[in-house]
Amino acid sequence: MVSRGANPPGPGGTFSRVRFPHPLTLLCGCVLLAAAASHVLPPGQYDRRDDVATGRRVVVAGTYHAVAPHPVGPFQALVAIPRGMADAAAVIFFVFLIGGAFTVVDETGALRQGVDWLVRRFGHSDALVVPAASLAFALGGVLDNMKEEIIALVPVMLLLARRLGYRPVVAVAMSLGAAAVGAAFSPINPFQVGIAQQLAQLPLLSGSLYRIAFLAAALGIWTWGTVRYAARTRTAPTAEPDPGASTLDARRGAVLALVLAAFAALVFGVRRFGWGFNEMAALFFAMGVAAGLVGGLGVGGTANALVAGFRSMAYAALLIGFARAIFVTLEDGRIVDTIVHGLFTPVAQLPVALAALGMMAVHAIVHVPVPSPSGHAVLTLPILVPLADLLGLSRQVTVLAYQYGGGLCELFTPTSGALMAILAAAQVRYEDWLHFAVPLLLTLLALGAGAIGLGVAIGLQ
């Protein structure tokens, strides 16, 4: 894989002066905190039922009740870590296989030649690279909630950023950051707005034009912030593009065509056949094998590259499992529903407009212990939809509050396995990422609040 250096210190600011612990230390601390909370918070649960529309188990509103306490001890908290890895097995093995596939592609030289060709192609218009890359990843977020798929692409983005003299933070911002913003404001993301609208019994794609307007504004804000940071912190490129890479040779061009075909198949499979991580992992494994053979690595060279890729993804996969262990601990302690019930109950006492904004704020908090977008939706929306009806609040606005509150939380929450894995792969410190992302995040939250307030005012349905 592409060699990766440490991210240079940020240009100042609150977060750049704060030294956060190592990601594994941070996640272990969160697991222990979740275990400690199980000794303090009263245990409780909602009843659940199978929902035909979504094919998932959802909570039944108004059924919250106390249950027998089940505090999680120190050893049980440690056991939650391997259990979290087992729980996230599909994601972890997907990361391994897609990482191995892209290592094969990298070993063929196609990625380096492709990046060099791209840099030369842009010429003096290389300022367009960041907007173009951000738009491409944002489209992935809009269409299929692209997050974990980005992990294996980090070396490519780092190579592109360094060819242009940008910091690794820029590579993360124009990939994961843009994808997260696209997913949060998407009108068609099946894992967020799709499930949420089904749970709220709204027509799929309803309110799309309204969402598209704010999606365009949100992507404009994020891209502007990324371009501004990239220009302000730009240094001399680490290497000049290879003069011989001005054109792609046929073999490496064929490898890149295989990569593009795999992503097209991914989008088609997810949207048409409802593919999960297992199917996506199989697709990219096949792509990696084909790329190695087409790229001239041979059977043995392809196998060696796959193994090297698996090895390079081990740390990222560990972070995903550790992040999942936090939710496992909270669930074992029977306090996930307690947290949700305690946070949303006060919202019912607020006026309609404030209740909508309160829902958005609480969704941002809930997404920390429940970082899965679909899991978050099936836990909270069956509770909030009846509450919204009682308050006279539009169900569409209720879905917006979930989208913007929970979706934008993906940009900073340490319980997001994809975020922590991508930061680790790019060797970007968590505090450096916060220094860049938090000002833009606050602006986007304000935009989301404005969209919700306007939705209440015009009676968005």
Side-chain angles (χ1 to χ4, degrees):
M1 299 290 279
V2 180
S3 60
R4 298 189 284 269
N7 186 38
T14 302
F15 292 110
S16 63
R17 292 193 299 267
V18 176
R19 186 74 180 184
F20 277 74
H22 188 281
L24 280 180
T25 304
L26 182 63
L27 292 176
C28 285
C30 289
V31 171
L32 294 176
L33 181 63
S38 70
H39 292 263
V40 177
L41 297 179
Q45 289 180 346
Y46 288 97
D47 293 336
R48 284 166 167 76
R49 62 176 177 81
D50 293 323
D51 184 72
V52 176
T54 62
R56 299 168 185 266
R57 287 188 63 78
V58 301
V59 303
V60 179
T63 61
Y64 179 80
H65 57 279
V67 296
H70 194 264
V72 178
F75 184 70
Q76 285 73 29
L78 294 177
V79 172
I81 294 174
R83 288 180 57 210
M85 293 178 184
D87 203 33
V91 181
I92 290 173
F93 288 118
F94 169 71
V95 169
F96 274 122
L97 290 173
I98 194 175
F102 274 93
T103 300
V104 173
V105 174
D106 187 52
E107 287 294 320
T108 67
L111 293 181
R112 291 183 181 88
Q113 195 176 71
V115 168
D116 283 345
W117 175 85
L118 183 65
V119 172
R120 285 193 167 275
R121 188 77 173 175
F122 273 96
H124 295 294
S125 302
D126 55 16
L128 296 176
V129 171
V130 173
S134 298
L135 182 61
F137 280 96
L139 184 62
V142 168
L143 292 175
D144 71 347
N145 201 54
M146 176 183 278
K147 296 289 190 332
E148 287 81 2
E149 298 91 327
I150 298 171
I151 296 172
L153 296 175
V154 169
V156 186
M157 300 308 295
L158 285 175
L159 179 61
L160 177 60
R162 287 182 175 131
R163 284 285 193 269
L164 297 171
Y166 298 140
R167 291 184 173 180
V169 168
V170 177
V172 178
M174 60 185 178
S175 55
L176 174 70
V181 173
F185 285 85
S186 172
I188 57 176
N189 179 355
F191 300 102
Q192 286 189 349
V193 65
I195 289 178
Q197 286 185 327
Q198 286 179 313
L199 291 170
Q201 298 179 341
L202 293 170
L204 295 179
L205 303 182
S206 59
S208 290
L209 291 178
Y210 191 81
R211 285 181 170 83
I212 288 172
F214 285 95
L215 169 64
L219 290 178
I221 291 170
W222 185 263
T223 303
W224 169 82
T226 304
V227 169
R228 181 171 176 268
Y229 178 87
R232 195 173 70 238
T233 60
R234 189 174 188 181
T235 58
T238 57
E240 289 296 325
D242 181 3
S246 56
T247 58
L248 286 169
D249 63 55
R251 176 168 291 201
R252 293 185 176 93
V255 171
L256 293 180
L258 279 172
V259 174
L260 293 176
F263 275 103
L266 168 72
V267 173
F268 181 78
V270 169
R271 299 198 60 79
R272 175 74 173 176
F273 301 113
W275 280 3
F277 284 108
N278 289 332
E279 291 82 3
M280 292 189 289
L283 170 69
F284 280 106
F285 178 71
M287 182 271 286
V289 172
L293 298 178
V294 170
L297 297 182
V299 175
T302 300
N304 287 332
L306 284 170
V307 171
F310 300 157
R311 189 181 301 117
S312 70
M313 287 292 108
Y315 179 39
L318 277 174
L319 291 177
I320 292 171
F322 273 70
R324 184 64 181 176
I326 299 169
F327 177 76
V328 170
T329 305
L330 292 171
E331 198 170 44
D332 280 353
R334 301 174 182 173
I335 57 174
V336 173
D337 292 3
T338 297
I339 294 172
V340 172
H341 178 73
L343 289 172
F344 281 116
T345 298
V347 172
Q349 313 304 319
L350 298 174
V352 174
L354 289 180
L357 295 177
M359 285 182 183
M360 177 182 167
V362 173
H363 275 301
I365 298 172
V366 169
H367 202 71
V368 175
V370 190
S372 164
S374 56
H376 182 158
V378 300
L379 175 62
T380 60
L381 284 171
I383 303 167
L384 291 179
V385 168
L387 176 60
D389 291 343
L390 290 174
L391 294 174
L393 181 64
S394 160
R395 292 189 176 191
Q396 199 71 258
V397 172
T398 304
V399 173
L400 286 179
Y402 153 73
Q403 271 191 270
Y404 300 156
L408 290 174
C409 193
E410 294 275 332
L411 289 169
F412 77 93
T413 175
T415 56
S416 169
L419 171 63
M420 300 306 288
I422 289 169
L423 292 179
Q427 294 193 5
V428 173
R429 294 200 304 265
Y430 182 59
E431 59 268 30
D432 289 337
W433 173 250
L434 292 182
H435 174 241
F436 163 79
V438 166
L440 292 175
L441 172 64
L442 294 176
T443 305
L444 292 173
L445 286 172
L447 176 67
I452 290 170
L454 179 61
V456 173
I458 66 175
L460 179 67
Q461 298 296 324

